[in-house]
Amino acid sequence: MKKKIVSALLATLILFSCMTSAYALSARALSIRPSLTFGTNTVLCKVSIGADTGESILATISLFEGDSCIRTWTRSSNGYLIFSEYVPVISGYKYTLTVDSVINGIQKPIASVDGTYVQ
């Protein structure tokens, strides 16, 4: 009887340790999130990029006013990147924020968001 309890306990511990190891190795889903928040004559351009821990991130972030690129920033990080910058805007114009990113040397699809500033 004692052997059965010890065997069951040991089997449970082995099963639990395998489950935790598999969970720890699971990949985090890549997320690339640009956003525009309009204020009085300004727009807050924000980007967050989440990758797996240790993965290199290189991002080129561009702000367009209509069809014209008015600002470009390049940022890099590992695992997670957060960017924010205020830019002056003109009422009535459409603004588009794009994020061109490379994660661990692999080009990712361009992410973008747009909005029109109306005062």
Side-chain angles (χ1 to χ4, degrees):
M1 180 69 163
K2 197 175 192 180
K3 281 186 177 182
K4 287 183 181 182
I5 292 173
V6 171
S7 296
L9 183 59
L10 187 57
T12 304
L13 289 174
I14 291 170
L15 179 62
F16 181 71
S17 69
C18 290
M19 288 173 50
T20 357
S21 298
Y23 178 75
L25 294 176
S26 67
R28 179 176 26 185
L30 174 68
S31 66
I32 304 169
R33 293 193 175 102
S35 70
L36 294 173
T37 305
F38 293 98
T40 305
N41 298 321
T42 62
V43 64
L44 175 59
C45 303
K46 291 173 65 175
V47 172
S48 68
I49 301 175
D52 282 335
T53 303
E55 286 189 323
S56 65
I57 300 170
L58 176 62
T60 302
I61 303 158
S62 301
L63 179 65
F64 292 83
E65 183 178 77
D67 292 331
S68 301
C69 182
I70 60 171
R71 296 282 168 92
T72 300
W73 304 272
T74 302
R75 297 292 187 271
S76 62
S77 187
N78 287 310
Y80 200 75
L81 182 141
I82 297 176
F83 167 84
S84 65
E85 188 82 29
Y86 285 95
V87 178
V89 291
I90 301 168
S91 184
Y93 280 84
K94 176 183 173 187
Y95 292 87
T96 304
L97 185 66
T98 64
V99 183
D100 189 2
S101 57
V102 176
I103 312 296
N104 261 5
I106 300 170
Q107 180 73 44
K108 299 300 175 184
I110 293 175
S112 68
V113 64
D114 57 48
T116 302
Y117 176 60
V118 180
Q119 188 175 21

